[in-house]
Short mmCIF file of all heavy atoms in Angstrom, two decimals:
data_model
loop_
_atom_site.label_atom_id
_atom_site.label_comp_id
_atom_site.label_asym_id
_atom_site.label_seq_id
_atom_site.Cartn_x
_atom_site.Cartn_y
_atom_site.Cartn_z
N GLY H 108 24.38 -71.08 -36.30
CA GLY H 108 25.74 -70.74 -36.74
C GLY H 108 26.72 -70.60 -35.59
O GLY H 108 26.34 -70.45 -34.43
N LYS H 109 27.99 -70.65 -35.95
CA LYS H 109 29.05 -70.41 -34.96
C LYS H 109 28.98 -68.95 -34.53
O LYS H 109 29.12 -68.62 -33.37
CB LYS H 109 30.38 -70.70 -35.64
CG LYS H 109 31.57 -70.68 -34.74
CD LYS H 109 32.82 -71.09 -35.54
CE LYS H 109 34.06 -70.63 -34.81
NZ LYS H 109 35.17 -70.38 -35.72
N TYR H 110 28.73 -68.10 -35.51
CA TYR H 110 28.50 -66.68 -35.23
C TYR H 110 27.06 -66.35 -35.63
O TYR H 110 26.57 -66.85 -36.64
CB TYR H 110 29.42 -65.78 -36.05
CG TYR H 110 30.89 -66.01 -35.87
CD1 TYR H 110 31.79 -65.67 -36.88
CD2 TYR H 110 31.40 -66.54 -34.69
CE1 TYR H 110 33.14 -65.87 -36.73
CE2 TYR H 110 32.76 -66.75 -34.53
CZ TYR H 110 33.63 -66.42 -35.55
OH TYR H 110 34.97 -66.61 -35.40
N THR H 111 26.43 -65.48 -34.85
CA THR H 111 25.07 -65.07 -35.18
C THR H 111 25.00 -63.55 -35.18
O THR H 111 25.48 -62.91 -34.25
CB THR H 111 24.07 -65.61 -34.13
OG1 THR H 111 24.19 -67.02 -34.11
CG2 THR H 111 22.64 -65.23 -34.48
N VAL H 112 24.40 -62.99 -36.23
CA VAL H 112 24.32 -61.54 -36.31
C VAL H 112 22.86 -61.11 -36.48
O VAL H 112 22.06 -61.81 -37.09
CB VAL H 112 25.23 -61.02 -37.47
CG1 VAL H 112 24.78 -61.55 -38.80
CG2 VAL H 112 25.29 -59.50 -37.50
N ILE H 113 22.50 -59.98 -35.88
CA ILE H 113 21.14 -59.42 -36.04
C ILE H 113 21.24 -58.18 -36.91
O ILE H 113 22.09 -57.32 -36.67
CB ILE H 113 20.57 -58.99 -34.67
CG1 ILE H 113 20.57 -60.17 -33.69
CG2 ILE H 113 19.16 -58.42 -34.83
CD1 ILE H 113 20.32 -59.75 -32.26
N ILE H 114 20.38 -58.09 -37.92
CA ILE H 114 20.43 -56.91 -38.80
C ILE H 114 19.00 -56.50 -39.19
O ILE H 114 18.13 -57.36 -39.35
CB ILE H 114 21.32 -57.22 -40.05
CG1 ILE H 114 21.49 -55.99 -40.92
CG2 ILE H 114 20.76 -58.38 -40.86
CD1 ILE H 114 22.56 -56.14 -41.99
N ASP H 115 18.76 -55.22 -39.30
CA ASP H 115 17.43 -54.73 -39.72
C ASP H 115 17.23 -54.95 -41.21
O ASP H 115 18.20 -55.01 -41.97
CB ASP H 115 17.30 -53.22 -39.43
CG ASP H 115 17.14 -52.95 -37.94
OD1 ASP H 115 17.00 -53.92 -37.18
OD2 ASP H 115 17.15 -51.76 -37.56
N ALA H 116 15.96 -55.00 -41.61
CA ALA H 116 15.66 -55.28 -43.02
C ALA H 116 15.68 -54.01 -43.86
O ALA H 116 15.61 -54.09 -45.09
CB ALA H 116 14.29 -55.94 -43.13
N ASP H 117 15.80 -52.85 -43.24
CA ASP H 117 15.59 -51.62 -44.01
C ASP H 117 16.87 -51.05 -44.64
O ASP H 117 16.86 -49.94 -45.16
CB ASP H 117 14.93 -50.55 -43.12
CG ASP H 117 15.72 -50.28 -41.86
OD1 ASP H 117 16.84 -50.81 -41.75
OD2 ASP H 117 15.22 -49.54 -40.99
N LEU H 118 17.96 -51.80 -44.55
CA LEU H 118 19.25 -51.40 -45.12
C LEU H 118 19.85 -50.15 -44.48
O LEU H 118 20.73 -49.52 -45.05
CB LEU H 118 19.15 -51.21 -46.64
CG LEU H 118 19.12 -52.52 -47.45
CD1 LEU H 118 18.82 -52.24 -48.91
CD2 LEU H 118 20.40 -53.31 -47.32
N GLN H 119 19.35 -49.79 -43.30
CA GLN H 119 20.01 -48.68 -42.58
C GLN H 119 21.36 -49.16 -42.07
O GLN H 119 22.27 -48.37 -41.85
CB GLN H 119 19.15 -48.22 -41.40
CG GLN H 119 17.99 -47.37 -41.82
CD GLN H 119 17.32 -46.74 -40.60
OE1 GLN H 119 16.61 -47.39 -39.86
NE2 GLN H 119 17.56 -45.46 -40.41
N GLN H 120 21.43 -50.47 -41.85
CA GLN H 120 22.68 -51.06 -41.39
C GLN H 120 23.30 -51.80 -42.56
O GLN H 120 22.80 -52.84 -42.98
CB GLN H 120 22.38 -52.02 -40.23
CG GLN H 120 21.61 -51.31 -39.14
CD GLN H 120 21.00 -52.24 -38.10
OE1 GLN H 120 20.71 -53.39 -38.39
NE2 GLN H 120 20.78 -51.72 -36.92
N ASN H 121 24.36 -51.24 -43.09
CA ASN H 121 24.96 -51.80 -44.30
C ASN H 121 25.54 -53.21 -44.05
O ASN H 121 26.34 -53.39 -43.14
CB ASN H 121 26.07 -50.86 -44.76
CG ASN H 121 26.47 -51.14 -46.19
OD1 ASN H 121 26.57 -52.30 -46.59
ND2 ASN H 121 26.69 -50.10 -46.96
N PRO H 122 25.11 -54.20 -44.88
CA PRO H 122 25.57 -55.57 -44.65
C PRO H 122 27.09 -55.74 -44.74
O PRO H 122 27.63 -56.72 -44.24
CB PRO H 122 24.90 -56.37 -45.78
CG PRO H 122 23.77 -55.53 -46.22
CD PRO H 122 24.14 -54.12 -45.96
N LYS H 123 27.78 -54.76 -45.34
CA LYS H 123 29.25 -54.91 -45.46
C LYS H 123 29.91 -55.01 -44.09
O LYS H 123 30.97 -55.61 -43.94
CB LYS H 123 29.84 -53.74 -46.25
CG LYS H 123 29.85 -52.43 -45.50
CD LYS H 123 30.53 -51.33 -46.28
CE LYS H 123 30.56 -50.08 -45.40
NZ LYS H 123 30.59 -48.84 -46.06
N TYR H 124 29.25 -54.45 -43.05
CA TYR H 124 29.84 -54.51 -41.71
C TYR H 124 29.85 -55.93 -41.16
O TYR H 124 30.59 -56.23 -40.24
CB TYR H 124 29.09 -53.59 -40.75
CG TYR H 124 29.24 -52.12 -41.06
CD1 TYR H 124 28.15 -51.35 -41.45
CD2 TYR H 124 30.49 -51.51 -40.98
CE1 TYR H 124 28.29 -50.00 -41.74
CE2 TYR H 124 30.63 -50.16 -41.28
CZ TYR H 124 29.53 -49.41 -41.65
OH TYR H 124 29.68 -48.09 -41.93
N ILE H 125 28.99 -56.79 -41.72
CA ILE H 125 28.97 -58.19 -41.24
C ILE H 125 30.35 -58.81 -41.45
O ILE H 125 30.88 -59.50 -40.59
CB ILE H 125 27.88 -58.99 -41.99
CG1 ILE H 125 26.50 -58.46 -41.61
CG2 ILE H 125 27.99 -60.47 -41.68
CD1 ILE H 125 25.35 -59.18 -42.26
N LEU H 126 30.95 -58.51 -42.61
CA LEU H 126 32.27 -59.07 -42.91
C LEU H 126 33.30 -58.56 -41.90
O LEU H 126 34.16 -59.31 -41.43
CB LEU H 126 32.70 -58.68 -44.33
CG LEU H 126 31.77 -59.18 -45.44
CD1 LEU H 126 32.16 -58.60 -46.78
CD2 LEU H 126 31.81 -60.71 -45.49
N GLU H 127 33.16 -57.27 -41.58
CA GLU H 127 34.09 -56.67 -40.63
C GLU H 127 33.97 -57.33 -39.25
O GLU H 127 34.96 -57.65 -38.61
CB GLU H 127 33.74 -55.18 -40.51
CG GLU H 127 34.93 -54.28 -40.25
CD GLU H 127 34.49 -52.82 -40.28
OE1 GLU H 127 34.07 -52.32 -41.36
OE2 GLU H 127 34.54 -52.19 -39.21
N MET H 128 32.71 -57.54 -38.83
CA MET H 128 32.48 -58.14 -37.51
C MET H 128 33.00 -59.57 -37.48
O MET H 128 33.61 -60.00 -36.50
CB MET H 128 30.98 -58.14 -37.19
CG MET H 128 30.43 -56.77 -36.92
SD MET H 128 28.81 -56.83 -36.12
CE MET H 128 27.74 -56.63 -37.49
N GLU H 129 32.77 -60.29 -38.58
CA GLU H 129 33.21 -61.68 -38.64
C GLU H 129 34.73 -61.76 -38.52
O GLU H 129 35.27 -62.60 -37.80
CB GLU H 129 32.75 -62.28 -39.97
CG GLU H 129 32.99 -63.76 -40.05
CD GLU H 129 32.66 -64.33 -41.42
OE1 GLU H 129 32.48 -63.54 -42.37
OE2 GLU H 129 32.60 -65.56 -41.52
N GLU H 130 35.40 -60.83 -39.19
CA GLU H 130 36.86 -60.83 -39.15
C GLU H 130 37.37 -60.59 -37.72
O GLU H 130 38.33 -61.23 -37.29
CB GLU H 130 37.37 -59.73 -40.08
CG GLU H 130 38.76 -60.02 -40.58
CD GLU H 130 39.26 -58.90 -41.47
OE1 GLU H 130 38.51 -58.50 -42.39
OE2 GLU H 130 40.37 -58.41 -41.22
N ILE H 131 36.69 -59.70 -37.02
CA ILE H 131 37.11 -59.42 -35.64
C ILE H 131 36.98 -60.67 -34.77
O ILE H 131 37.90 -61.04 -34.06
CB ILE H 131 36.27 -58.27 -35.04
CG1 ILE H 131 36.65 -56.96 -35.73
CG2 ILE H 131 36.50 -58.15 -33.53
CD1 ILE H 131 35.75 -55.81 -35.42
N LEU H 132 35.83 -61.36 -34.88
CA LEU H 132 35.64 -62.57 -34.06
C LEU H 132 36.63 -63.67 -34.47
O LEU H 132 37.08 -64.45 -33.64
CB LEU H 132 34.21 -63.07 -34.17
CG LEU H 132 33.14 -62.22 -33.47
CD1 LEU H 132 31.80 -62.92 -33.50
CD2 LEU H 132 33.51 -61.92 -32.02
N ASP H 133 36.97 -63.70 -35.77
CA ASP H 133 37.94 -64.70 -36.25
C ASP H 133 39.33 -64.44 -35.66
O ASP H 133 40.03 -65.35 -35.23
CB ASP H 133 38.05 -64.64 -37.78
CG ASP H 133 37.00 -65.52 -38.44
OD1 ASP H 133 36.46 -66.39 -37.73
OD2 ASP H 133 36.72 -65.34 -39.64
N LYS H 134 39.71 -63.16 -35.66
CA LYS H 134 41.10 -62.83 -35.32
C LYS H 134 41.31 -62.52 -33.84
O LYS H 134 42.36 -62.80 -33.31
CB LYS H 134 41.53 -61.60 -36.13
CG LYS H 134 41.69 -61.94 -37.59
CD LYS H 134 42.54 -60.93 -38.30
CE LYS H 134 42.73 -61.32 -39.75
NZ LYS H 134 42.55 -60.20 -40.65
N GLU H 135 40.31 -61.92 -33.21
CA GLU H 135 40.53 -61.48 -31.83
C GLU H 135 39.72 -62.35 -30.88
O GLU H 135 38.57 -62.06 -30.58
CB GLU H 135 40.15 -60.00 -31.69
CG GLU H 135 40.94 -59.14 -32.65
CD GLU H 135 40.54 -57.67 -32.60
OE1 GLU H 135 40.30 -57.14 -31.49
OE2 GLU H 135 40.47 -57.06 -33.67
N SER H 136 40.37 -63.40 -30.42
CA SER H 136 39.62 -64.40 -29.66
C SER H 136 39.19 -63.90 -28.28
O SER H 136 38.37 -64.52 -27.61
CB SER H 136 40.44 -65.68 -29.53
OG SER H 136 41.64 -65.35 -28.88
N GLU H 137 39.76 -62.76 -27.84
CA GLU H 137 39.36 -62.27 -26.51
C GLU H 137 37.97 -61.65 -26.52
O GLU H 137 37.35 -61.48 -25.47
CB GLU H 137 40.39 -61.28 -25.95
CG GLU H 137 40.45 -59.91 -26.62
CD GLU H 137 41.44 -59.86 -27.78
OE1 GLU H 137 41.62 -60.89 -28.46
OE2 GLU H 137 42.01 -58.78 -28.02
N TYR H 138 37.46 -61.34 -27.70
CA TYR H 138 36.11 -60.75 -27.77
C TYR H 138 35.05 -61.82 -27.99
O TYR H 138 35.24 -62.76 -28.76
CB TYR H 138 36.03 -59.71 -28.89
CG TYR H 138 36.81 -58.45 -28.54
CD1 TYR H 138 37.98 -58.13 -29.22
CD2 TYR H 138 36.37 -57.61 -27.53
CE1 TYR H 138 38.71 -56.99 -28.89
CE2 TYR H 138 37.09 -56.48 -27.19
CZ TYR H 138 38.25 -56.17 -27.87
OH TYR H 138 38.96 -55.05 -27.52
#
Side-chain angles (χ1 to χ4, degrees):
K109 187 176 161 207
Y110 302 154
T111 302
V112 62
I113 303 167
I114 185 169
D115 287 353
D117 56 7
L118 283 172
Q119 283 190 285
Q120 305 167 333
N121 196 320
K123 72 176 183 207
Y124 293 116
I125 294 181
L126 299 173
E127 213 175 294
M128 290 196 263
E129 188 186 13
E130 205 182 311
I131 290 170
L132 289 187
D133 273 343
K134 290 199 177 135
E135 302 177 40
S136 59
E137 71 269 32
Y138 289 110

